[in-house]
Amino acid sequence: SSFNFFNRFIKYARSVQYLSANEQNLSVFKKHPAMVAGYGVSVPGKKKTAFGRTGIKFVYIGRLEIHIKGLDLLLAAIKRSEETLRQNCATLEIYGPDYNGSHKVLAQMIHKLNIADLVRLDNEKMGMDKQ
């Protein structure tokens, strides 16, 4: 089974890296040396408390690895929900560096699904633009 493979893989690792303390606490590998090293981004202290009535904007910022990051599934969900999204003026903005031609593939997927009015695909954002 995949768990047995994973268990053998962990057994010989020097350490296990967790993305959060919660992930570490939920792990079945309690006795193995471990460290918590997050995603490399900090959660901003600002919290949105007022929302306009002009629509909803969902934003994805990350590598454009279509299958690893589930962007194919995200676009399929947008397609399944397109009527509701349009009624509520909701859009998705995707920002990220190209990964093995993924930008072009994503653009083709968006066009083929006929959701270009709901999904905006752009290059990666850095620094203040990313914030």
Side-chain angles (χ1 to χ4, degrees):
S1 83
S2 61
F3 183 77
N4 288 334
F5 170 78
F6 190 70
N7 199 12
R8 280 184 279 141
F9 182 74
I10 294 294
K11 182 179 178 180
Y12 297 105
R14 288 188 189 175
S15 180
V16 177
Q17 176 188 343
Y18 297 100
L19 297 175
S20 69
N22 187 48
E23 183 179 39
Q24 183 179 15
N25 291 336
L26 295 174
S27 174
V28 296
F29 303 104
K30 303 273 187 214
K31 296 179 182 177
H32 208 79
M35 65 179 175
V36 175
Y39 289 105
V41 294
S42 56
V43 177
K46 296 179 185 178
K47 184 176 180 181
K48 190 167 180 93
T49 56
F51 298 88
R53 296 180 184 253
T54 58
I56 303 166
K57 183 190 324 182
F58 298 98
V59 179
Y60 169 88
I61 299 175
R63 276 189 325 272
L64 301 182
E65 289 187 82
I66 296 170
H67 301 293
I68 299 294
K69 298 293 187 173
L71 296 174
D72 54 337
L73 301 175
L74 182 57
L75 293 181
I78 295 288
K79 180 64 179 176
R80 278 194 312 274
S81 306
E82 65 183 318
E83 185 177 327
T84 302
L85 294 171
R86 286 188 179 106
Q87 288 171 353
N88 291 285
C89 300
T91 58
L92 168 66
E93 295 183 5
I94 300 174
Y95 300 96
D98 191 19
Y99 181 80
N100 291 335
S102 58
H103 195 281
K104 181 179 179 181
V105 174
L106 283 169
Q108 291 170 340
M109 291 172 71
I110 292 166
H111 177 75
K112 183 178 178 181
L113 292 170
N114 197 26
I115 54 173
D117 62 316
L118 298 173
V119 181
R120 178 175 166 230
L121 177 62
D122 207 337
N123 297 317
E124 68 184 305
K125 298 294 180 191
M126 304 298 286
M128 290 304 293
D129 287 339
K130 188 174 185 177
Q131 287 188 24

